[in-house]
Amino acid sequence: MRVRKLTLAAMALAAGLSLTACQNDDGGSDQGAAPPASSAASSSNGGSDSAGSDQQDGSDSAGKSPNGTGGTDGTGGSGGTGGAGEDGKAAKCSTDELEITAIDATISGDPDGTVAVDLKNGGGRDCSLAGYAGVDLKTNSGTVSAERTGDPAPRIVLGDGETVTFGITYPINDSGGSGVRITGLVVTPPDETKSVTLDWPGGSSLPVTDGSGTPVRVGPLGSAGQGG
């Protein structure tokens, strides 16, 4: 019986030691698991920070791309300066865009008479003119075409509402005779085929000539007085 009790006691002690060992192992396992959990949390936070940084960098990069494209747009914008024409210049003025008027501009004592013709841009946009306008006088003896003075005729850009003037000179009829009676003035803007007919504001007649050439002269656009 004593041997059996000793055996049972030994078994009980062994069981107790085994239980204690298991409990120690479980506690070690819990303690060992905690650090990885903490590390994982730190790693997860670090990953988020890194991802956020990457995303931020990506956003910055994406933001810079359009700016780079914006430079291209700027180039496109400069290309857009050709909106008025392929060469970037204002398109020419058409007859329908111009308000054309004429007044007597003769200066007392001058040997020749002068008529000033105004071309006002009423088209609502910038437009350009260059050269000489066509000028014809209607008379009771037919049409008399003006001769160009030959002065330089630079290109002129007219803003909406702006005016350019040119002059027409003609001999004054002081012969005492009726001469050639003028009945009208026909003006054709440069590079246009459509004309405008106006009342003639100058002297009522031209002296009779031998027909060797026209006595009427026209200056370039921008000329003032005396046809040039």
Side-chain angles (χ1 to χ4, degrees), residues 111 171-177 205-207:
I172 296 174
N173 180 22
D174 55 8
S175 66
S205 65
L206 299 173

Coordinates of all heavy atoms in Angstrom, one line a residue, residues 111 171-177 205-207:
P111 N -3.1 125.5 -106.9 CA -3.4 125.4 -108.3 C -4.4 124.2 -108.6 O -5.1 124.3 -109.6 CB -2.1 125.2 -109.0 CG -1.2 124.5 -107.9 CD -1.7 125.1 -106.6
P171 N -7.3 119.1 -111.7 CA -7.2 120.5 -112.1 C -8.5 121.3 -112.0 O -9.5 120.8 -112.3 CB -6.7 120.4 -113.6 CG -7.3 119.1 -114.0 CD -7.3 118.2 -112.8
I172 N -8.3 122.5 -111.5 CA -9.5 123.4 -111.4 C -9.8 124.0 -112.7 O -8.9 124.5 -113.5 CB -9.2 124.5 -110.3 CG1 -9.0 123.8 -108.9 CG2 -10.4 125.5 -110.3 CD1 -8.6 124.8 -107.9
N173 N -11.1 124.0 -113.1 CA -11.5 124.6 -114.4 C -11.6 126.1 -114.2 O -12.6 126.6 -113.7 CB -12.8 123.9 -114.8 CG -13.3 124.5 -116.2 OD1 -12.5 125.0 -116.9 ND2 -14.5 124.4 -116.4
D174 N -10.6 126.8 -114.6 CA -10.7 128.3 -114.6 C -10.6 128.9 -116.0 O -10.2 130.0 -116.2 CB -9.6 128.8 -113.7 CG -8.2 128.4 -114.2 OD1 -8.1 127.7 -115.2 OD2 -7.2 128.7 -113.4
S175 N -11.0 128.0 -117.0 CA -11.0 128.5 -118.4 C -12.1 129.4 -118.7 O -12.1 130.0 -119.8 CB -11.0 127.2 -119.3 OG -12.3 126.6 -119.2
G176 N -13.1 129.4 -117.9 CA -14.3 130.3 -118.2 C -15.3 129.5 -119.0 O -16.5 129.9 -119.1
G177 N -15.0 128.3 -119.5 CA -15.9 127.5 -120.2 C -16.6 126.5 -119.3 O -16.3 126.4 -118.1
S205 N -16.6 120.9 -112.4 CA -16.1 120.5 -113.7 C -14.6 120.4 -113.8 O -13.9 121.0 -113.0 CB -16.6 121.4 -114.8 OG -16.1 122.7 -114.6
L206 N -14.1 119.7 -114.8 CA -12.7 119.6 -115.2 C -12.5 120.4 -116.4 O -13.4 120.5 -117.3 CB -12.3 118.2 -115.4 CG -12.4 117.2 -114.2 CD1 -12.1 115.8 -114.7 CD2 -11.5 117.6 -113.1
P207 N -11.3 121.0 -116.6 CA -11.0 121.7 -117.8 C -11.0 120.7 -119.0 O -10.6 119.5 -118.8 CB -9.7 122.4 -117.6 CG -9.0 121.6 -116.5 CD -10.2 121.1 -115.7

